[in-house]
Amino acid sequence: TGTKLGCGEGGCGACTVIAVGSDGHPRAINACLRLLCGCDGLALTTVEGLGSQGAGYSQVMKAIAEGQGSQCGFCTPGWVTAMSALLGGAAARGAAHLTAKEIEESLDGNLCRCTGYRPILQAFKRAFAHDDSSGISDLETCAPCHDVATGKPCGRRCDAALQASSLSNGEADRRAAARRECDRALRLVSPTAAVAARARAPVSLRYEDEGSGLSYSRPASLEGLVELLRREPAALLHCGNTGMGVGKYYTPRGPTAGGVAP
């Protein structure tokens, strides 16, 4: 599938999926850190649910492809889901547009070891940003960009090629397309009525893994949490769960086995 296990520590974004809970707001989450037991009441969408060759590619997929934002492709699904979650979130909160600064700051959880980030961010900002400018000059504007083979100025032909492959010809058309993609992303990731009802009325859960001897509990109230900690004072609290990624270095049975050094 497109969703991949990369670092296993929530640092690279290759495992990014979109989660929608009771508030109806799409969020990009690291699948490698989210325990399966903690997915109850969430609508989860992987990159396959956003577009395909058969169903048609989304504008996010087209933007990163046409903007030369993918080389080996390992990280690309994570970028697509993260950007789609951002668009869906904008639609959910009724935002009129996204700025280039918002796009750039919202994608800092995704890594790419091939492209150097510029073509990815440039493609997304050109397609979906209201202002198409982060206020930060490119390095090439500080020193002339040159052909590495000849040493002569290159004339910024890469920028011209990217501009020619833009998703829309006019500014108004580009903004309208970005707005439609926000609405489309929200529709794609919105939970079904059954999942939404479950999210609005969470129930207490307890799961026991006989193989590992571990158990998972989800209280539905603060009082339930206090009672659980009273009965099991050694229980570990999982929130963002980033400790799960590094816990494997300290315990032979994995990060949830207990006894992790502070």
Side-chain angles (χ1 to χ4, degrees):
T1 65
T3 308
K4 302 176 178 71
L5 178 62
C7 67
E9 300 177 2
C12 71
C15 68
T16 304
V17 299
I18 302 173
V20 183
S22 58
D23 61 357
H25 191 100
R27 291 178 174 83
I29 67 170
N30 295 117
C32 72
L33 298 181
R34 181 61 61 105
L35 298 177
L36 182 60
C37 315
C39 295
D40 182 71
L42 297 180
L44 299 175
T45 304
T46 65
V47 69
E48 289 83 0
L50 301 175
S52 65
Q53 184 176 12
Y57 297 114
S58 71
Q59 293 302 313
V60 178
M61 294 174 175
K62 292 178 181 178
I64 199 170
E66 295 176 6
Q68 309 301 317
S70 179
Q71 290 188 26
C72 80
F74 187 89
C75 69
T76 305
W79 285 98
V80 169
T81 49
M83 186 67 222
S84 298
L86 183 60
L87 291 170
R93 67 176 186 270
H97 59 261
L98 289 170
T99 65
K101 188 173 186 291
E102 284 180 296
I103 291 175
E104 190 160 322
E105 291 182 348
S106 299
L107 299 175
D108 57 0
N110 294 77
L111 302 182
C112 176
R113 301 192 183 281
C114 298
T115 66
Y117 302 105
R118 178 184 175 183
I120 299 174
L121 296 175
Q122 198 169 37
F124 286 160
K125 287 187 285 188
R126 182 156 289 158
F128 306 115
H130 176 74
D131 53 354
D132 194 23
S133 172
S134 62
I136 301 175
S137 299
D138 282 330
L139 180 63
E140 289 81 358
T141 63
C142 302
C145 188
H146 62 278
D147 188 314
V148 295
T150 65
K152 298 179 180 179
C154 69
R156 303 300 292 267
R157 290 189 297 273
C158 52
D159 281 345
L162 183 58
Q163 184 66 43
S165 66
S166 180
L167 296 175
S168 57
N169 295 321
E171 182 64 17
D173 291 341
R174 186 180 69 84
R175 293 184 182 181
R179 179 72 261 174
R180 288 194 299 271
E181 186 64 9
C182 286
D183 295 336
R184 178 182 181 274
L186 181 60
R187 289 195 305 272
L188 285 174
V189 303
S190 293
T192 63
V195 173
R198 177 83 176 209
R200 287 193 296 270
V203 297
S204 297
L205 294 176
R206 184 173 179 85
Y207 169 78
E208 296 187 4
D209 184 349
E210 295 180 356
S212 65
L214 303 177
S215 63
Y216 171 90
S217 298
R218 187 187 71 179
S221 65
L222 179 60
E223 292 78 9
L225 174 61
V226 172
E227 175 60 23
L228 173 66
L229 292 177
R230 185 188 65 79
R231 295 196 315 266
E232 303 181 42
L236 298 177
L237 293 177
H238 290 273
C239 298
N241 204 24
T242 52
M244 181 176 181
V246 297
K248 59 180 177 287
Y249 300 120
Y250 300 103
T251 60
R253 291 198 299 156
T256 58
V260 178

